[in-house]
């Protein structure tokens, strides 16, 4: 269906932005990120996260470190790099542009 | 009873029911095949496995001998989702559709194309970028046109500033659509929003390229524009380096090149200007500002050259352009100020006369008065015959050119009139300047000796001080200048510049006679 495609596109575009925003304040490991997204009612399927994280890391927007966990496997703690910070700022600008546009049109 | 298998993920062991294990295995296989060809595949799989391990650990809740059963695996799969749902089939992830293609869209119905300033692609304030979008031409062409107007018609700069103030920034998407001339239909805006969402994920690939030191960030450049850019860039670099080198030499070495001789030799430019400028501390400020403006403008030209030739883009270039523009304006204001300051010093004129009356059968003129100035002392001399236009020594300025005019006397006496002329900012200063001019004449019977140069105090500054000698010759009498006889004939005009003792006579019938 037409709407689904577009909807998926919209969510996909936004997801990166959200992940970077979550990591802006402090580092987090994947399930933390998932929980945050879930509480904001954004993510539907967890698996979506992992390819994205890896991609962002390969672009040097994120970096991670390992930490042993008391109750389970070791965790990857992701954090924003400087490039990532810059990138996030640019996304922020685009996001604001979009908000204004959408608001104007959906009046 | 069920069979179990032992697995481990990152060193953590889990005992899994066999059927559950198969489900898990096939999930991971599906994942792997969906990811084939994707960059970072191994890591993604690793991350997902880690998540699975985490979920399993949570299920165990501390009890490490709790077996992972089918329901557990099903729950995990449900949480994670099907690989099909979250892995893109192509793996290339829309990187293919570039924004250049987006720009080439054919639905360019030019309804309601508005003129905005394109702040994103701006150099200074986006005026030229906005104009370029409006007319659909490459930005560089608009910039060139603007510069031509600036230099040859004189109103480019005010025009730019007016446009800067008047034209609105293209901030919202609606604006950007209008700027490019696309109709603002819901469809178009939805497309814009979609495109923007796509752009955000595209930003990543573009950004990656940026990080990988690919500086080609411009979209949809046409090759003509590129060639023009490079040519202009090279031109800027050439001008910039020449100017820079000259400037540095001038600044660092402070060459004394001006032929105003002093006890120490030639003057530097700064010293020379201090002969004109009334207030020395003010002059220093003017020089500092002038040098600063020149330095900034040279730097700007050089950086622009580099930017154009190598097609680089600097985030801060906008601010540099604005600074350069402001400095340029300061420079113009400064020049205006210099112009008015100097001309006000020359507003008023004054003339002071003294006359010697000589009763003698003939008059002899010599120019061999001793000066307290011995040219041979100077370190720099161009050659014997060339005098310096002006010489500065002992707190006075010496000029060695004054004019001598011969005219008829109304009676039988010789009259020698010395006119001292000068200018100044007001009448009384002009008068004082004229009075301060020192030009000695020694009279010895029928012989007059006068100085080779006239002089005035250096504090008076150069204010157009000059000396004119008028020598009235009675009829039938003669003046002898350095031994040569000068006899007035009707309609003769004689113009004589004394120090070189060269003379020229223009006779009434147009004949010109020159003696050395």
């Amino acid at each position: 269906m037409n709407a689904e495609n577009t909807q998926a596109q919209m969510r996909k575009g936004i997801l990166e932005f959200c992940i970077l925003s979550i990591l802006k304040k402090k580092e987090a490991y994947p399930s933390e990120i998932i929980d945050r997204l879930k509480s904001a009612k954004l993510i539907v399927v967890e698996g979506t996260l992992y390819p994205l994280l890896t991609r962002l890391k390969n672009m040097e927007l994120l970096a991670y470190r390992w930490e042993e966990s008391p109750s389970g496997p070791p965790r990857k703690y992701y954090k924003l790099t400087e490039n990532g910070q810059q990138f996030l700022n640019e996304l922020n600008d685009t996001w604001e542009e979009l908000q204004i546009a959408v608001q104007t049109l959906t009046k | 009873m069920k069979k179990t298998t032992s697995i481990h993920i990152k060193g953590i062991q889990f005992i899994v029911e066999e059927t559950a294990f198969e489900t898990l295995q096939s999930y991971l296989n599906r994942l792997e095949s969906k990811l084939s060809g994707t960059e970072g595949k191994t890591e993604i799989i690793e991350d997902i496995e880690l998540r699975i391990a985490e979920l399993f650990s949570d299920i165990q809740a501390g009890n490490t001998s709790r077996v992972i059963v089918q329901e557990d695996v099903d729950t995990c799969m449900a949480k994670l989702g099907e690989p099909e749902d979250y892995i893109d089939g192509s793996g290339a992830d829309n990187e293919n559709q570039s924004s250049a293609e987006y720009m080439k869209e054919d639905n360019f119905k030019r309804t309601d194309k508005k003129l905005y300033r394109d702040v994103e692609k701006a150099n200074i304030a986006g005026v030229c970028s906005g104009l370029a979008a409006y007319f659909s031409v490459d930005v560089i062409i608009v910039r060139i046109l603007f510069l031509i107007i600036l230099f040859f018609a004189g109103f480019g700069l005010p025009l730019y500033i007016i446009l800067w103030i008047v034209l609105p920034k293209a901030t919202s998407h609606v604006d950007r659509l209008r700027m490019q001339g696309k109709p603002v239909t819901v469809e178009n805006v939805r497309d814009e929003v979609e495109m923007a969402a796509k752009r955000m994920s595209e930003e990543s690939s573009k950004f990656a390229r940026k990080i990988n030191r690919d500086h080609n960030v411009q979209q949809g450049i046409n090759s003509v524009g590129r060639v023009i850019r490079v040519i202009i860039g090279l031109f800027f670099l050439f001008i910039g380096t020449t100017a820079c080198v000259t400037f540095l030499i001038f600044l660092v070495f402070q060459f004394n090149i001006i032929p105003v001789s002093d006890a120490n030799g030639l003057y530097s430019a700064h010293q020379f200007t201090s002969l004109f400028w009334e207030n020395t501390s003010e002059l220093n400020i003017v020089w500092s500002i002038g040098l600063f403006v020149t330095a900034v403008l040279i730097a700007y030209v050089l950086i622009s050259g580099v930017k154009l030739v190598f097609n680089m883009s600097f985030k801060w270039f906008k601010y540099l352009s604005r600074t350069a523009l402001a400095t340029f304006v300061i420079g113009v204001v400064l020049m205006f100020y210099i112009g008015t300051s100097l001309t006000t010093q020359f507003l008023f004129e004054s003339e002071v006369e003294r006359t010697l009356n000589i009763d003698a059968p003939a008059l002899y003129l010599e120019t061999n008065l001793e000066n307290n100035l011995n040219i041979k002392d100077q370190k720099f001399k161009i050659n014997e015959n060339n005098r310096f236009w002006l010489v500065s020594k002992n707190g006075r300025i010496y000029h060695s050119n004054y004019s001598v005019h011969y005219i008829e006397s109304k009676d039988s006496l010789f009259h020698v009139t010395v006119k001292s002329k000068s200018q100044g900012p007001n009448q009384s200063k002009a008068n004082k300047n004229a009075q301060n001019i020192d030009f000695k004449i020694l009279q010895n019977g029928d012989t007059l000796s006068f100085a080779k140069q006239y002089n005035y105090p250096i504090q008076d500054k150069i204010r157009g001080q000059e000396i004119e000698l008028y020598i009235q010759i009675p009829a039938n009498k003669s003046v002898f200048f350095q031994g040569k006889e000068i006899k007035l004939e009707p309609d003769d005009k004689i113009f004589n510049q004394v120090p070189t003792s060269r003379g020229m006579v223009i006779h009434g019938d147009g004949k010109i006679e020159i003696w050395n």
Side-chain angles (χ1 to χ4, degrees):
Chain A
M1 250 183 25
N2 226 354
E4 260 178 29
N5 217 345
T6 310
Q7 286 167 343
Q9 291 284 18
M10 285 168 86
R11 289 202 189 96
K12 213 165 62 109
I14 300 226
L15 192 53
E16 266 180 42
F17 178 41
C18 294
I19 293 175
L20 292 173
S21 299
I22 291 174
L23 291 174
K24 177 174 153 136
K25 295 191 195 103
K26 69 181 190 109
E27 54 181 16
Y29 61 91
S31 8
E32 270 185 323
I33 301 178
I34 289 174
D35 289 338
R36 289 281 304 271
L37 291 169
K38 277 190 178 157
S39 68
K41 298 209 185 13
L42 184 57
I43 197 167
V44 174
V45 158
E46 278 184 27
T48 323
L49 192 71
Y50 301 99
L52 262 184
L53 282 176
T54 303
R55 190 151 61 94
L56 291 172
K57 185 217 78 181
N58 285 342
M59 280 180 243
E60 297 177 24
L61 300 176
L62 296 181
Y64 67 81
R65 61 178 181 84
W66 286 104
E67 198 177 273
E68 288 300 319
S69 149
S71 59
R75 292 172 175 163
K76 270 182 177 174
Y77 275 84
Y78 282 91
K79 72 167 205 256
L80 273 193
T81 60
E82 229 180 80
N83 286 334
Q85 184 63 57
Q86 235 178 312
F87 188 58
L88 177 59
N89 292 338
E90 289 181 31
L91 290 189
N92 240 322
D93 291 339
T94 312
W95 174 242
E96 277 168 30
E97 269 179 45
L98 281 179
Q99 281 193 308
I100 297 174
V102 173
Q103 266 175 29
T104 316
L105 294 159
T106 52
K107 264 193 232 182
Chain B
M1 189 183 71
K2 309 261 175 77
K3 195 155 187 262
T4 60
T5 303
S6 170
I7 61 167
H8 84 94
I9 299 176
K10 273 270 182 269
I12 315 262
Q13 190 193 44
F14 296 104
I15 302 181
V16 185
E17 210 176 48
E18 209 172 63
T19 47
F21 172 74
E22 272 158 38
T23 315
L24 188 56
Q25 183 76 295
S26 95
Y27 181 87
L28 291 173
N29 288 339
R30 285 203 297 284
L31 181 63
E32 184 161 350
S33 76
K34 268 291 173 189
L35 281 174
S36 77
T38 313
E39 218 183 281
K41 157 176 125 170
T42 332
E43 272 173 306
I44 298 175
I45 296 179
E46 177 187 71
D47 281 348
I48 292 184
E49 285 186 3
L50 272 175
R51 177 58 177 157
I52 294 175
E54 213 173 49
L55 289 168
F56 284 178
S57 293
D58 289 343
I59 290 173
Q60 286 183 333
N63 178 9
T64 47
S65 53
R66 197 249 204 235
V67 170
I68 307 291
V69 297
Q70 186 66 47
E71 291 84 38
D72 299 327
V73 172
D74 291 337
T75 321
C76 285
M77 305 295 105
K79 279 216 175 114
L80 282 172
E82 265 302 305
E84 203 168 70
D85 292 333
Y86 58 79
I87 306 281
D88 250 333
S90 62
D93 228 51
N94 293 324
E95 275 170 43
N96 296 325
Q97 182 169 10
S98 67
S99 316
E101 281 179 84
Y102 165 57
M103 290 298 188
K104 276 193 268 165
E105 274 188 26
D106 292 321
N107 50 354
F108 253 107
K109 287 182 267 171
R110 306 268 170 96
T111 59
D112 203 25
K113 198 169 190 187
K114 266 194 163 179
L115 182 56
Y116 281 94
R117 290 189 285 128
D118 187 351
V119 188
E120 273 187 22
K121 298 202 205 114
N123 243 3
I124 302 179
V127 170
C128 289
S129 310
L131 285 167
Y134 188 75
F135 293 111
S136 303
V137 292
D138 192 313
V139 178
I140 191 93
I141 296 178
V142 179
R143 292 204 175 116
I144 294 174
L145 283 176
F146 226 102
L147 283 176
I148 292 177
I149 300 179
L150 179 86
F151 281 124
F152 293 112
F155 59 84
L157 183 59
L159 178 68
Y160 190 92
I161 296 188
I162 290 174
L163 285 175
W164 187 347
I165 297 174
V166 167
L167 292 182
K169 279 200 293 195
T171 39
S172 68
H173 267 294
V174 184
D175 289 342
R176 293 194 74 85
L177 280 176
R178 284 232 181 87
M179 184 171 65
Q180 292 152 11
K182 295 179 146 189
V184 185
T185 62
V186 176
E187 207 178 43
N188 265 337
V189 179
R190 195 202 67 191
D191 287 344
E192 265 283 302
V193 172
E194 221 177 61
M195 283 301 162
K198 252 190 220 167
R199 261 215 304 257
M200 285 206 276
S201 42
E202 269 169 31
E203 293 281 317
S204 50
S205 33
K206 272 205 312 200
F207 206 75
R209 271 184 262 139
K210 239 196 226 175
I211 294 172
N212 292 333
R213 307 208 185 283
D214 181 346
H215 293 288
N216 191 354
V217 185
Q218 311 257 5
Q219 304 166 8
I221 301 173
N222 66 56
S223 49
V224 173
R226 176 91 182 105
V227 169
I228 295 180
R229 257 174 242 267
V230 172
I231 293 177
I232 295 188
L234 288 173
F235 179 67
F236 272 23
L237 281 180
F238 173 67
I239 302 257
T241 14
T242 319
C244 192
V245 166
T246 320
F247 182 68
L248 284 175
I249 291 180
F250 173 79
L251 200 61
V252 172
F253 295 108
Q254 282 276 342
F255 269 168
N256 294 345
I257 47 169
I258 312 266
V260 172
S261 70
D262 186 54
N264 305 319
L266 301 173
Y267 266 11
S268 73
H270 177 98
Q271 287 172 298
F272 185 64
T273 50
S274 71
L275 289 180
F276 289 86
W277 200 268
E278 187 63 37
N279 182 338
T280 315
S281 51
E282 197 182 61
L283 178 68
N284 291 335
I285 297 177
V286 167
W287 265 101
S288 318
I289 299 181
L291 290 174
F292 171 73
V293 167
T294 317
V296 168
L297 291 178
I298 291 180
Y300 178 71
V301 169
L302 281 174
I303 295 180
S304 295
V306 168
K307 176 180 191 282
L308 286 172
V309 170
F310 299 106
N311 207 22
M312 308 212 273
S313 111
F314 307 112
K315 275 213 138 150
W316 38 266
F317 190 71
K318 236 189 331 209
Y319 305 106
L320 180 66
S321 297
R322 290 186 193 179
T323 314
L325 185 66
T327 331
F328 176 72
V329 171
I330 293 178
V332 167
V333 168
L334 186 72
M335 297 228 234
F336 192 67
Y337 176 71
I338 294 176
T340 47
S341 297
L342 278 181
T343 36
T344 44
Q345 294 295 329
F346 288 79
L347 278 179
F348 287 83
E349 224 181 74
S350 171
E351 207 177 276
V352 170
E353 258 184 48
R354 58 189 156 109
T355 307
L356 288 172
N357 306 306
I358 301 155
D359 189 3
L363 185 62
Y364 297 87
L365 302 176
E366 307 282 320
T367 63
N368 51 8
L369 245 194
E370 269 300 324
N371 282 304
N372 50 355
L373 183 77
N374 188 341
I375 303 288
K376 289 197 168 51
D377 277 343
Q378 302 310 315
K379 285 194 205 155
F380 292 92
K381 235 181 359 168
I382 298 177
N383 59 54
E384 283 291 344
N385 295 327
N386 283 353
R387 296 295 163 97
F388 294 114
W389 166 57
L390 69 86
V391 173
S392 154
K393 185 166 181 178
N394 294 341
R396 298 189 78 87
I397 296 177
Y398 293 79
H399 284 281
S400 53
N401 56 322
Y402 48 87
S403 57
V404 181
H405 306 264
Y406 301 98
I407 45 185
E408 270 179 37
S409 173
K410 303 261 178 342
D411 53 28
S412 64
L413 297 174
F414 290 97
H415 304 277
V416 175
T417 307
V418 179
K419 283 196 188 175
S420 306
K421 289 189 180 171
S422 178
Q423 288 165 313
N426 52 55
Q427 193 59 57
S428 84
K429 199 72 174 46
N431 292 341
K432 263 225 300 202
N433 289 341
Q435 282 156 8
N436 284 347
I437 303 179
D438 178 37
F439 182 66
K440 292 194 179 32
I441 303 185
L442 252 191
Q443 182 180 7
N444 202 349
D446 58 2
T447 305
L448 286 182
S449 309
F450 37 84
K452 289 197 174 92
Q453 289 155 315
Y454 62 94
N455 63 76
Y456 50 91
I458 208 171
Q459 299 93 295
D460 284 357
K461 308 286 175 183
I462 297 179
R463 293 286 175 260
Q465 289 89 334
E466 50 181 17
I467 294 279
E468 285 175 358
L469 279 182
Y470 289 87
I471 302 184
Q472 296 181 39
I473 310 178
N476 302 324
K477 289 199 186 165
S478 298
V479 169
F480 291 86
F481 174 65
Q482 308 271 81
K484 281 217 166 50
E485 180 177 0
I486 298 170
K487 206 174 175 133
L488 262 193
E489 284 165 58
D491 299 335
D492 267 358
K493 292 191 197 74
I494 305 184
F495 176 71
N496 187 330
Q497 275 205 306
V498 170
T500 59
S501 56
R502 244 188 284 177
M504 183 169 87
V505 178
I506 304 170
H507 291 276
D509 57 3
K511 197 169 76 156
I512 300 177
E513 200 184 308
I514 302 179
W515 9 249
N516 276 330

